[in-house]
Amino acid sequence: IYKSIAANDNPIASEQPVTLQANEDNSESGQVPVATDVDVSNGDGYENIETEVNEFGYELNEELGLICINNSPCGNLEWDESNDGSYVFDPGEDFHYLAVGESAEVSFYYTASDIPPGGPVGVSSLQLVTITIEGREDPTTIFPDSYGFDTPIYENGGLYTLNLPTPEDLDLTNEFQYN
C-alpha cells in the first residue's frame, strides 16, 4: 500500500520578465503581475479554491534593492508596505542627462508567496522587473541670470563683439551653434 502525501508547490511570480516604460520627469505607479499557483487547496476543508497565492505575500528583494543598469544614482523605488505588489518609482533628478531618444534602465527583483495548509510557506523564484526611462527635452539656459550687458545695444548701431557664455543644458549630448 502506497500513501500519497501532497506537497506545497511554490507559486510562480510571473511567466515572463516584467518591463515597464517611464520618463525622466514623472513618477510611475505600478503593480507586479498576479502570481499563479497550481495548488487548489489550502487545507481548510474547501478543496476547490482559485489560488493559494497570498495576496499580501509579494516582497521586494531588499538585498538587491534597486539596480542601476547604466545610471547611478537611479531614482527611488517605494514598495508598498502591505506587500500587495504595488510600488512607486520616482526618477527624481537622476535622469535629466538623457536627451530625447536616449534611455536608461533600472531593475528590481521580487518574490510571491502562498498560504499553505500547514508547513513551510512556498516562495517563488526571484522575478525581474525592468523599468526603461526615456529622455525628455530639458530647457536650455542661454544667458544665465548673472550675465548682463553694460552697454546699451541699439538697432542700426555699431558692431559689438560679445563673448557669449556656454549654454547650460541638462541633456548632456545636446550640441549648440551660434549664427
Side-chain angles (χ1 to χ4, degrees):
I1 295 181
Y2 293 98
K3 183 176 181 182
S4 174
I5 300 174
N8 182 28
D9 294 299
N10 290 337
I12 298 170
S14 178
E15 295 290 332
Q16 299 178 16
V18 181
T19 57
L20 303 166
Q21 299 289 333
N23 71 62
E24 69 180 44
D25 294 326
N26 299 317
S27 294
E28 294 289 332
S29 298
Q31 177 78 37
V32 299
V34 174
T36 58
D37 194 326
V38 297
D39 295 328
V40 292
S41 172
N42 63 5
D44 62 2
Y46 300 101
E47 300 302 318
N48 195 12
I49 62 171
E50 187 174 317
T51 183
E52 193 180 79
V53 174
N54 181 352
E55 65 181 311
F56 299 106
Y58 297 90
E59 295 204 17
L60 175 67
N61 185 292
E62 301 270 352
E63 186 177 320
L64 295 174
L66 190 60
I67 302 166
C68 306
I69 296 178
N70 51 2
N71 187 66
S72 183
C74 57
N76 181 51
L77 181 71
E78 187 177 317
W79 189 262
D80 190 289
E81 292 178 8
S82 72
N83 285 332
D84 66 353
S86 61
Y87 59 89
V88 175
F89 172 72
D90 182 5
E93 302 291 318
D94 297 342
F95 297 91
H96 282 289
Y97 71 92
L98 294 171
V100 173
E102 295 179 333
S103 63
E105 292 181 342
V106 297
S107 294
F108 64 90
Y109 287 91
Y110 73 96
T111 58
S113 62
D114 62 12
I115 305 171
V121 170
V123 178
S124 72
S125 300
L126 288 173
Q127 178 60 46
L128 176 68
V129 175
T130 301
I131 303 171
T132 301
I133 298 93
E134 302 290 334
R136 294 287 172 107
E137 182 60 45
D138 292 309
T140 301
T141 303
I142 297 175
F143 297 108
D145 293 338
S146 63
Y147 188 82
F149 295 101
D150 292 336
T151 306
I153 298 177
Y154 299 100
E155 183 179 349
N156 298 324
L159 181 62
Y160 289 91
T161 301
L162 300 173
N163 292 321
L164 297 176
T166 303
E168 297 174 8
D169 194 314
L170 296 172
D171 298 329
L172 296 180
T173 58
N174 282 358
E175 294 181 14
F176 303 98
Q177 171 180 338
Y178 293 105
N179 292 322

